[in-house]
Amino acid sequence: RLRGVVDVGVLEGALGLVVERHEVLRTVFREGVGGVVEQVVLPGGGVSLPVVDVSGVGEGGVWSVVEEETGRGFDLSCGPLLRGRLLRCGVDEWVLVLCVHHIVVDGWSLGVLVEELGEAYGALSGGGVPGWGVLPVQYADFAVWQREWLSGGGVAGQVDFWRGRLAGAPALDVVGDRGRPVRSSFAGDSVPVRVSSGVVGRLGEVAEGESATLFMALLAGFCGVLHRFTGQGDVVVGTPVAGRTRTELEGLVGFFVNTLALRCGVSGESSFREVLREVRGVALDAFAHQDVPFERIVQE
């Protein structure tokens, strides 16, 4: 949401600079020789930002346009894989809608994108240019490095770690209030849970006392809940990680996120601190072996 006077031409120019800076935002994916999909980086160019006047239609009308935009698909072979609309809600109230395919961004990338868009808009508005340094690498460089690493011998140790860690891992038998459908619909949903600041603060103190992070403490609690509902003491929880283990990747837009399968042992006789210590060790081991893509682990 943007407030105040918005110069549409400057905003388009700022978005164009961000797309020019990050090759992955102008990359398409095409079938090459032997049916292998290849990244093709398109030349830089202007970015169109159509303006839609939604003044007077209310919040429901705004969300109707947003849902229409986010409901449109992408052509991975032609692009663009980032598109936008600017909704004019009033004289000094706007909504900028950016849609980008998950194949070229992750959650971390969105923060980079928005921050740089703001920097570029501010610089262009003042008649200057953003003071960015040259990016040390582009996403294609990372893709080449990862492919070489996965085809070499360096990956073997991490694969062996996961093979041993997940050997014999059981499925979690969660009994719900209705049976599973014969065919999965993949119609997921989310349930927000609000935790008071007092509880969060106390949990942070417990975690700090065990040299653990708040994430580890929350994971320990979640494993405890799963144990209580299933009676199983061997619990595997999947969690996303940023996958940016190199400093030069921190300011880069791209898809780096990976999934780690954290296998934790939980006993009904264990105290919460004991479970937290177990989870801490499991998490640290997993983070130290996070470079193997989850798809590769499943394949192995």
Side-chain angles (χ1 to χ4, degrees):
R1 293 182 180 270
L2 310 175
R3 299 190 183 280
V5 177
V6 173
D7 188 318
V8 179
V10 171
L11 187 57
E12 283 185 331
L15 187 58
L17 286 180
V18 175
V19 172
E20 174 70 26
R21 175 171 168 80
H22 296 276
E23 289 182 354
V24 72
L25 293 177
R26 45 192 172 88
T27 294
V28 294
F29 299 83
R30 295 172 179 167
E31 187 175 318
V33 178
V36 177
V37 176
E38 300 175 342
Q39 297 184 54
V40 179
V41 180
L42 303 179
V47 176
S48 175
L49 199 58
V51 178
V52 181
D53 192 337
V54 294
S55 56
V57 301
E59 190 72 6
V62 171
W63 280 105
S64 176
V65 177
V66 171
E67 290 173 357
E68 175 189 339
E69 181 62 38
T70 57
R72 291 198 296 128
F74 292 86
D75 186 335
L76 296 182
S77 63
C78 298
L81 301 188
L82 180 147
R83 61 173 186 260
R85 286 196 212 182
L86 185 61
L87 312 185
R88 186 197 305 270
C89 305
V91 176
D92 59 353
E93 185 176 352
W94 309 72
V95 172
L96 174 63
V97 184
L98 295 177
C99 291
V100 57
H101 197 284
H102 209 343
I103 199 172
V104 295
V105 299
D106 52 22
W108 183 303
S109 299
L110 298 181
V112 175
L113 195 159
V114 171
E115 180 179 353
E116 292 191 353
L117 179 59
E119 292 176 0
Y121 183 82
L124 293 180
S125 296
V129 294
W132 298 324
V134 177
L135 288 171
V137 294
Q138 290 286 345
Y139 186 76
D141 300 318
F142 166 77
V144 171
W145 168 82
Q146 186 184 55
R147 178 186 299 174
E148 292 176 347
W149 183 76
L150 289 173
S151 61
V155 70
Q158 290 204 22
V159 169
D160 288 344
F161 166 83
W162 287 110
R163 185 184 288 111
R165 186 66 190 172
L166 298 176
L172 196 65
D173 186 19
V174 180
V175 180
D177 59 354
R178 65 196 68 186
R180 292 182 182 274
V182 176
R183 178 174 298 177
S184 296
S185 67
F186 300 101
D189 206 342
S190 60
V191 179
V193 178
R194 185 178 297 274
V195 182
S196 71
S197 59
V199 172
V200 173
R202 180 67 184 121
L203 192 59
E205 293 173 3
V206 174
E208 185 176 359
E210 298 296 334
S211 299
T213 64
L214 185 59
F215 165 78
M216 294 171 184
L218 291 168
L219 178 60
F222 185 52
C223 289
V225 169
L226 293 176
H227 168 69
R228 183 176 178 85
F229 274 87
T230 64
Q232 295 177 232
D234 192 353
V235 176
V236 184
V237 178
T239 184
V241 288
R244 298 172 186 252
T245 55
R246 296 187 172 202
T247 305
E248 58 266 36
L249 303 180
E250 293 181 358
L252 203 59
V253 172
F255 185 89
F256 299 92
V257 70
N258 194 16
T259 300
L260 300 183
L262 305 183
R263 185 177 185 181
C264 305
V266 186
S267 168
E269 288 75 39
S270 302
S271 68
F272 177 75
R273 288 183 181 274
E274 289 172 333
V275 175
L276 177 54
R277 292 176 199 136
E278 161 78 8
V279 167
R280 177 183 180 277
V282 168
L284 290 177
D285 282 345
F287 296 156
H289 299 84
Q290 64 173 288
D291 293 325
V292 187
F294 181 67
E295 296 80 6
R296 174 67 178 272
I297 295 171
V298 172
Q299 177 184 350
E300 293 287 339

